[in-house]
Amino acid sequence: MSAQFAVGLRVLTGFGVAGRSAAPLAVSQRWKSASAPDRLAELRAGLESGPAIDDFALSDGDEIPWKGRAVRPVSTPRKRLPRWLKTDIPTGPTFNRIRQTVRENKLSTVCEEARCPNIGECWGGAEGTATATIMVLGDTCTRACRFCSIKTSRAPPPPDPNEPKNTGRAVAGWGLDYIVITSVDRDDLPDGGAAHIAETVREIKKAKPVMLVECLTPDFAGDMSAVDVVATSGLDVFAHNIETVEALQSVVRDPRANFEQSLQVLERAKQAEPALITKTSIMLGLGEKDDEVVAALKTLRERGVDVVTFGQYIQPTKKHKKVVEYVHPDKFNEWQETADALGFLYCASGPLVRSSYKAGEFFLKGVLEKRKNNQSK
Protein backbone atom coordinates (compact mmCIF):
# COMPACT_ATOMS: atom_id res chain seq x y z
CA MET A 1 0.00 0.00 0.00
CA SER A 2 1.46 3.36 -1.00
CA ALA A 3 1.89 6.14 1.57
CA GLN A 4 -0.51 8.38 -0.37
CA PHE A 5 -3.22 5.70 -0.55
CA ALA A 6 -2.80 5.06 3.18
CA VAL A 7 -3.35 8.76 3.81
CA GLY A 8 -6.55 8.65 1.75
CA LEU A 9 -7.89 5.78 3.84
CA ARG A 10 -7.03 7.61 7.03
CA VAL A 11 -8.95 10.64 5.82
CA LEU A 12 -12.02 8.61 4.91
CA THR A 13 -12.10 6.61 8.13
CA GLY A 14 -11.28 9.51 10.46
CA PHE A 15 -7.78 8.30 11.40
CA GLY A 16 -4.89 10.77 11.10
CA VAL A 17 -7.18 13.82 11.42
CA ALA A 18 -5.63 16.82 13.18
CA GLY A 19 -7.26 17.12 16.59
CA ARG A 20 -9.46 14.50 18.28
CA SER A 21 -12.92 15.37 17.00
CA ALA A 22 -13.28 12.19 14.92
CA ALA A 23 -12.57 9.41 17.40
CA PRO A 24 -11.73 6.02 15.79
CA LEU A 25 -14.17 4.25 18.14
CA ALA A 26 -17.12 6.39 17.02
CA VAL A 27 -16.25 5.77 13.36
CA SER A 28 -16.06 2.02 13.98
CA GLN A 29 -19.50 1.92 15.66
CA ARG A 30 -21.11 3.95 12.85
CA TRP A 31 -19.73 1.61 10.18
CA LYS A 32 -20.88 -1.50 12.07
CA SER A 33 -24.46 -0.20 12.25
CA ALA A 34 -24.63 0.51 8.50
CA SER A 35 -25.34 -2.11 5.82
CA ALA A 36 -22.64 -3.16 3.38
CA PRO A 37 -24.16 -1.26 0.40
CA ASP A 38 -24.46 1.89 2.52
CA ARG A 39 -20.84 1.65 3.63
CA LEU A 40 -19.69 1.15 0.05
CA ALA A 41 -21.72 4.13 -1.16
CA GLU A 42 -20.30 6.33 1.58
CA LEU A 43 -16.77 5.24 0.75
CA ARG A 44 -17.25 6.02 -2.94
CA ALA A 45 -18.75 9.43 -2.15
CA GLY A 46 -15.84 10.21 0.11
CA LEU A 47 -13.31 9.28 -2.56
CA GLU A 48 -15.01 11.54 -5.09
CA SER A 49 -15.32 14.57 -2.80
CA GLY A 50 -12.21 14.18 -0.68
CA PRO A 51 -8.64 15.38 -1.32
CA ALA A 52 -6.87 13.96 -4.35
CA ILE A 53 -3.59 12.07 -4.14
CA ASP A 54 -1.76 15.11 -5.53
CA ASP A 55 -2.97 17.20 -2.59
CA PHE A 56 -0.86 15.00 -0.34
CA ALA A 57 2.01 14.16 -2.68
CA LEU A 58 2.68 17.82 -3.52
CA SER A 59 1.98 19.26 -0.08
CA ASP A 60 4.75 20.88 1.96
CA GLY A 61 3.21 19.49 5.12
CA ASP A 62 0.43 22.06 5.51
CA GLU A 63 -2.97 20.93 6.70
CA ILE A 64 -5.57 20.26 3.98
CA PRO A 65 -9.23 21.15 4.75
CA TRP A 66 -11.81 18.38 4.25
CA LYS A 67 -15.40 18.21 5.55
CA GLY A 68 -14.73 20.97 8.08
CA ARG A 69 -11.69 19.20 9.44
CA ALA A 70 -7.93 19.50 8.85
CA VAL A 71 -5.82 16.59 7.62
CA ARG A 72 -2.15 16.45 6.78
CA PRO A 73 0.17 14.09 4.88
CA VAL A 74 1.81 11.27 6.82
CA SER A 75 5.24 12.73 6.02
CA THR A 76 6.82 15.54 4.05
CA PRO A 77 9.39 14.51 1.43
CA ARG A 78 12.94 15.81 1.92
CA LYS A 79 14.12 18.46 -0.51
CA ARG A 80 16.46 17.14 -3.21
CA LEU A 81 20.03 18.40 -3.27
CA PRO A 82 20.68 21.00 -5.97
CA ARG A 83 23.55 20.39 -8.37
CA TRP A 84 25.93 22.78 -6.57
CA LEU A 85 25.87 20.63 -3.42
CA LYS A 86 26.89 17.36 -5.07
CA THR A 87 30.49 16.31 -4.46
CA ASP A 88 32.83 13.60 -5.72
CA ILE A 89 33.53 10.38 -3.82
CA PRO A 90 36.73 10.89 -1.75
CA THR A 91 39.80 9.03 -3.06
CA GLY A 92 43.56 9.43 -3.41
CA PRO A 93 46.77 8.42 -1.61
CA THR A 94 46.76 11.35 0.84
CA PHE A 95 43.14 10.66 1.75
CA ASN A 96 43.90 6.99 2.37
CA ARG A 97 47.03 7.78 4.41
CA ILE A 98 45.21 10.18 6.73
CA ARG A 99 42.33 7.75 7.17
CA GLN A 100 44.73 4.91 8.00
CA THR A 101 46.57 7.01 10.59
CA VAL A 102 43.26 8.03 12.18
CA ARG A 103 42.35 4.34 12.56
CA GLU A 104 45.76 3.28 13.88
CA ASN A 105 45.75 5.95 16.60
CA LYS A 106 42.08 5.37 17.49
CA LEU A 107 41.22 8.99 16.75
CA SER A 108 37.87 10.48 15.79
CA THR A 109 37.40 13.17 13.16
CA VAL A 110 34.44 15.49 12.76
CA CYS A 111 35.01 15.06 9.03
CA GLU A 112 33.68 11.51 9.31
CA GLU A 113 31.38 11.72 12.33
CA ALA A 114 29.49 14.77 11.03
CA ARG A 115 29.52 13.48 7.42
CA CYS A 116 31.23 16.59 6.09
CA PRO A 117 30.84 16.94 2.29
CA ASN A 118 34.36 18.39 1.99
CA ILE A 119 36.22 15.36 3.34
CA GLY A 120 37.56 14.43 -0.10
CA GLU A 121 38.79 17.96 -0.79
CA CYS A 122 40.41 18.42 2.62
CA TRP A 123 41.92 14.97 3.17
CA GLY A 124 42.79 14.46 -0.48
CA GLY A 125 45.01 17.51 -0.94
CA ALA A 126 48.66 17.30 -1.89
CA GLU A 127 51.43 17.20 0.70
CA GLY A 128 51.28 20.34 2.84
CA THR A 129 47.81 21.31 1.57
CA ALA A 130 45.63 18.58 3.07
CA THR A 131 43.77 19.50 6.25
CA ALA A 132 41.76 17.59 8.84
CA THR A 133 39.67 18.29 11.90
CA ILE A 134 40.40 15.97 14.83
CA MET A 135 37.57 15.43 17.30
CA VAL A 136 38.75 14.76 20.85
CA LEU A 137 36.95 13.65 24.02
CA GLY A 138 35.39 10.71 22.20
CA ASP A 139 32.76 10.40 19.51
CA THR A 140 29.65 10.73 21.71
CA CYS A 141 28.10 14.07 22.69
CA THR A 142 26.02 14.87 25.78
CA ARG A 143 23.81 17.20 23.74
CA ALA A 144 21.34 16.60 20.94
CA CYS A 145 21.22 19.52 18.53
CA ARG A 146 18.68 19.05 15.75
CA PHE A 147 21.23 19.65 12.97
CA CYS A 148 24.01 17.32 14.11
CA SER A 149 24.46 13.61 13.36
CA ILE A 150 27.08 12.86 16.02
CA LYS A 151 26.07 10.16 18.51
CA THR A 152 24.55 11.33 21.80
CA SER A 153 24.39 10.00 25.35
CA ARG A 154 23.86 11.39 28.84
CA ALA A 155 26.84 9.36 30.05
CA PRO A 156 29.46 8.89 27.30
CA PRO A 157 32.54 6.71 27.91
CA PRO A 158 35.35 8.47 29.80
CA PRO A 159 37.94 10.30 27.68
CA ASP A 160 40.98 8.34 26.54
CA PRO A 161 43.91 9.65 28.65
CA ASN A 162 46.32 8.77 25.82
CA GLU A 163 44.37 10.75 23.22
CA PRO A 164 46.36 14.01 23.51
CA LYS A 165 49.70 12.23 22.91
CA ASN A 166 48.25 10.05 20.15
CA THR A 167 46.84 13.12 18.45
CA GLY A 168 50.15 14.99 18.63
CA ARG A 169 52.05 12.03 17.22
CA ALA A 170 49.56 11.42 14.40
CA VAL A 171 49.26 15.05 13.33
CA ALA A 172 53.03 15.56 13.30
CA GLY A 173 53.35 12.75 10.76
CA TRP A 174 50.74 14.06 8.33
CA GLY A 175 52.88 16.79 6.78
CA LEU A 176 50.38 19.49 7.73
CA ASP A 177 51.08 22.98 9.00
CA TYR A 178 47.53 23.86 10.15
CA ILE A 179 45.26 21.58 12.16
CA VAL A 180 41.81 22.02 13.68
CA ILE A 181 40.93 20.39 16.99
CA THR A 182 37.27 20.16 17.92
CA SER A 183 35.31 18.18 20.47
CA VAL A 184 31.91 16.92 21.40
CA ASP A 185 30.12 18.59 24.31
CA ARG A 186 31.00 16.85 27.58
CA ASP A 187 28.58 18.24 30.15
CA ASP A 188 29.30 15.14 32.22
CA LEU A 189 32.84 16.34 32.98
CA PRO A 190 33.51 18.97 35.68
CA ASP A 191 35.39 21.27 33.30
CA GLY A 192 33.57 20.23 30.14
CA GLY A 193 36.79 18.66 28.88
CA ALA A 194 38.75 21.94 28.79
CA ALA A 195 41.91 20.48 30.37
CA HIS A 196 41.88 17.58 27.89
CA ILE A 197 41.61 19.96 24.91
CA ALA A 198 44.38 22.18 26.30
CA GLU A 199 46.66 19.16 26.79
CA THR A 200 46.01 18.10 23.19
CA VAL A 201 47.12 21.53 21.96
CA ARG A 202 50.30 21.33 24.01
CA GLU A 203 51.12 17.83 22.72
CA ILE A 204 50.69 18.99 19.12
CA LYS A 205 52.93 21.99 19.69
CA LYS A 206 55.49 19.75 21.39
CA ALA A 207 55.51 17.31 18.48
CA LYS A 208 55.64 20.06 15.85
CA PRO A 209 56.27 23.58 17.23
CA VAL A 210 55.57 25.33 13.90
CA MET A 211 52.13 23.76 13.62
CA LEU A 212 49.29 26.30 13.71
CA VAL A 213 46.40 25.06 15.84
CA GLU A 214 42.76 26.08 15.74
CA CYS A 215 40.35 24.85 18.41
CA LEU A 216 36.64 24.67 17.65
CA THR A 217 35.28 24.43 21.17
CA PRO A 218 31.97 23.75 22.92
CA ASP A 219 30.48 26.43 25.19
CA PHE A 220 31.53 24.63 28.40
CA ALA A 221 28.03 25.32 29.77
CA GLY A 222 29.05 28.96 30.23
CA ASP A 223 32.01 28.16 32.51
CA MET A 224 34.39 31.00 31.66
CA SER A 225 37.25 29.48 33.66
CA ALA A 226 37.14 26.53 31.24
CA VAL A 227 37.29 28.96 28.31
CA ASP A 228 40.41 30.50 29.88
CA VAL A 229 42.10 27.09 30.11
CA VAL A 230 41.74 26.49 26.37
CA ALA A 231 42.40 30.07 25.29
CA THR A 232 45.75 30.15 27.11
CA SER A 233 46.91 26.67 26.01
CA GLY A 234 49.06 27.94 23.14
CA LEU A 235 46.55 27.68 20.30
CA ASP A 236 46.41 30.22 17.50
CA VAL A 237 42.70 30.42 16.60
CA PHE A 238 39.79 30.08 19.03
CA ALA A 239 36.55 29.08 17.29
CA HIS A 240 33.09 28.56 18.69
CA ASN A 241 29.98 28.40 16.51
CA ILE A 242 26.78 30.34 17.09
CA GLU A 243 25.31 27.97 14.42
CA THR A 244 22.30 30.13 13.47
CA VAL A 245 20.60 33.47 14.04
CA GLU A 246 19.30 34.38 17.47
CA ALA A 247 15.62 33.76 16.61
CA LEU A 248 16.25 30.13 15.62
CA GLN A 249 18.53 29.08 18.47
CA SER A 250 15.85 27.22 20.42
CA VAL A 251 14.64 25.16 17.45
CA VAL A 252 18.09 24.31 16.07
CA ARG A 253 20.43 23.87 19.06
CA ASP A 254 20.22 21.87 22.25
CA PRO A 255 18.34 23.76 25.01
CA ARG A 256 21.57 24.10 27.00
CA ALA A 257 23.08 26.28 24.25
CA ASN A 258 22.03 29.82 23.41
CA PHE A 259 23.09 32.88 21.44
CA GLU A 260 24.27 35.06 24.32
CA GLN A 261 26.23 32.27 25.98
CA SER A 262 28.10 31.62 22.74
CA LEU A 263 28.89 35.32 22.36
CA GLN A 264 30.26 35.39 25.89
CA VAL A 265 32.53 32.42 25.14
CA LEU A 266 34.00 34.14 22.09
CA GLU A 267 34.41 37.43 23.93
CA ARG A 268 36.07 35.78 26.94
CA ALA A 269 38.61 33.94 24.77
CA LYS A 270 39.80 37.24 23.36
CA GLN A 271 39.98 38.76 26.85
CA ALA A 272 42.05 35.81 28.11
CA GLU A 273 44.47 35.95 25.18
CA PRO A 274 44.18 39.20 23.15
CA ALA A 275 46.44 37.90 20.35
CA LEU A 276 43.99 35.11 19.52
CA ILE A 277 41.93 35.17 16.34
CA THR A 278 38.31 34.38 17.22
CA LYS A 279 36.03 32.69 14.74
CA THR A 280 32.43 31.50 14.39
CA SER A 281 30.14 29.92 11.83
CA ILE A 282 26.53 30.34 10.68
CA MET A 283 24.44 27.77 8.81
CA LEU A 284 21.99 29.02 6.19
CA GLY A 285 18.85 27.32 4.94
CA LEU A 286 17.19 26.86 8.34
CA GLY A 287 14.53 29.53 7.84
CA GLU A 288 16.56 32.58 8.84
CA LYS A 289 15.63 36.03 7.55
CA ASP A 290 18.06 38.48 5.97
CA ASP A 291 17.65 41.11 8.67
CA GLU A 292 18.32 38.44 11.33
CA VAL A 293 21.59 37.47 9.62
CA VAL A 294 22.68 41.11 9.39
CA ALA A 295 21.85 41.62 13.07
CA ALA A 296 23.92 38.55 14.01
CA LEU A 297 26.90 39.81 12.00
CA LYS A 298 26.77 43.24 13.61
CA THR A 299 26.58 41.71 17.08
CA LEU A 300 29.56 39.45 16.36
CA ARG A 301 31.66 42.42 15.32
CA GLU A 302 30.60 44.37 18.41
CA ARG A 303 31.85 41.45 20.53
CA GLY A 304 35.22 41.39 18.76
CA VAL A 305 34.85 38.26 16.60
CA ASP A 306 37.40 38.31 13.77
CA VAL A 307 36.28 35.59 11.34
CA VAL A 308 32.89 34.28 10.22
CA THR A 309 31.97 31.49 7.82
CA PHE A 310 28.67 30.74 6.07
CA GLY A 311 27.64 27.30 4.85
CA GLN A 312 24.52 25.49 3.71
CA TYR A 313 22.71 23.36 6.29
CA ILE A 314 22.25 19.82 4.94
CA GLN A 315 19.90 17.46 6.78
CA PRO A 316 22.11 14.51 7.83
CA THR A 317 19.28 11.99 8.39
CA LYS A 318 15.48 11.91 8.25
CA LYS A 319 15.41 12.29 12.04
CA HIS A 320 17.07 15.70 11.96
CA LYS A 321 15.67 19.16 11.24
CA LYS A 322 14.56 19.53 7.64
CA VAL A 323 16.10 22.01 5.23
CA VAL A 324 13.88 25.04 4.70
CA GLU A 325 15.82 26.37 1.71
CA TYR A 326 18.83 25.49 -0.41
CA VAL A 327 20.47 28.90 -0.65
CA HIS A 328 21.85 29.81 -4.08
CA PRO A 329 25.62 30.42 -4.36
CA ASP A 330 24.95 34.03 -5.42
CA LYS A 331 23.35 34.68 -2.03
CA PHE A 332 26.42 33.32 -0.27
CA ASN A 333 28.51 35.80 -2.26
CA GLU A 334 26.25 38.60 -1.02
CA TRP A 335 26.77 37.56 2.60
CA GLN A 336 30.54 37.54 2.09
CA GLU A 337 30.36 41.11 0.79
CA THR A 338 28.24 42.11 3.78
CA ALA A 339 30.72 40.57 6.24
CA ASP A 340 33.66 42.24 4.51
CA ALA A 341 31.88 45.62 4.67
CA LEU A 342 31.31 45.16 8.42
CA GLY A 343 35.05 44.78 8.97
CA PHE A 344 35.59 41.06 9.59
CA LEU A 345 39.19 39.98 9.15
CA TYR A 346 38.04 37.17 6.87
CA CYS A 347 34.79 35.58 5.68
CA ALA A 348 34.43 32.25 3.88
CA SER A 349 30.95 31.91 2.39
CA GLY A 350 29.62 29.18 0.12
CA PRO A 351 27.21 26.24 0.06
CA LEU A 352 29.91 23.69 0.96
CA VAL A 353 31.86 25.90 3.37
CA ARG A 354 32.05 24.52 6.91
CA SER A 355 33.43 26.09 10.09
CA SER A 356 36.68 24.22 9.44
CA TYR A 357 37.34 24.95 5.80
CA LYS A 358 40.59 24.61 3.87
CA ALA A 359 40.47 27.95 2.04
CA GLY A 360 39.86 29.81 5.28
CA GLU A 361 42.65 27.95 7.02
CA PHE A 362 45.12 28.94 4.31
CA PHE A 363 44.16 32.58 4.74
CA LEU A 364 44.44 32.43 8.53
CA LYS A 365 47.78 30.71 8.20
CA GLY A 366 49.05 33.70 6.22
CA VAL A 367 47.67 36.17 8.77
CA LEU A 368 49.22 34.31 11.71
CA GLU A 369 52.62 33.94 10.05
CA LYS A 370 52.65 37.65 9.18
CA ARG A 371 51.84 38.54 12.80
CA LYS A 372 54.62 36.31 14.10
CA ASN A 373 57.13 37.78 11.67
CA ASN A 374 56.20 41.30 12.77
CA GLN A 375 56.61 40.33 16.42
CA SER A 376 60.07 38.87 15.79
CA LYS A 377 61.35 42.08 14.18
Side-chain angles (χ1 to χ4, degrees), residues 187-218:
D187 298 294
D188 59 316
L189 302 177
D191 67 347
H196 189 95
I197 297 172
E199 182 61 24
T200 302
V201 174
R202 287 190 286 268
E203 288 293 340
I204 292 173
K205 291 285 189 175
K206 184 190 301 182
K208 190 172 182 179
V210 296
M211 177 78 76
L212 298 174
V213 180
E214 174 182 328
C215 282
L216 175 58
T217 77

Side-chain angles (χ1 to χ4, degrees), residues 78 109 124 177 217 223 232 237 240 242-243 246-247 272 280 289 317 319 339 350 361 377:
R78 300 166 74 185
T109 68
D177 44 24
T217 77
D223 181 356
T232 58
V237 178
H240 172 70
I242 61 169
E243 309 295 4
E246 186 171 11
T280 196
K289 299 176 182 178
T317 74
K319 297 179 180 179
E361 290 159 13
K377 291 179 180 179

Side-chain angles (χ1 to χ4, degrees), residues 13 28 34 46 63 65 74 98-99 133 152 154 203-204 228 232 258 262 265 273 287 289 297 302 311 346 352 355 372:
T13 59
S28 176
E63 293 179 345
V74 173
I98 291 179
R99 183 172 61 177
T133 301
T152 63
R154 292 181 179 178
E203 288 293 340
I204 292 173
D228 292 346
T232 58
N258 64 75
S262 290
V265 167
E273 189 59 61
K289 299 176 182 178
L297 289 174
E302 290 169 0
Y346 178 75
L352 289 173
S355 53
K372 290 182 178 181

Side-chain angles (χ1 to χ4, degrees), residues 94 98 121-132 176-178 358 362:
T94 306
I98 291 179
E121 178 187 357
C122 293
W123 287 22
E127 185 75 17
T129 66
T131 62
L176 309 179
D177 44 24
Y178 193 111
K358 187 163 69 172
F362 288 159

Side-chain angles (χ1 to χ4, degrees), residues 9-10 67 134 220 307 333 355 361:
L9 288 180
R10 292 183 184 186
K67 286 189 176 183
I134 297 295
F220 303 110
V307 176
N333 292 337
S355 53
E361 290 159 13

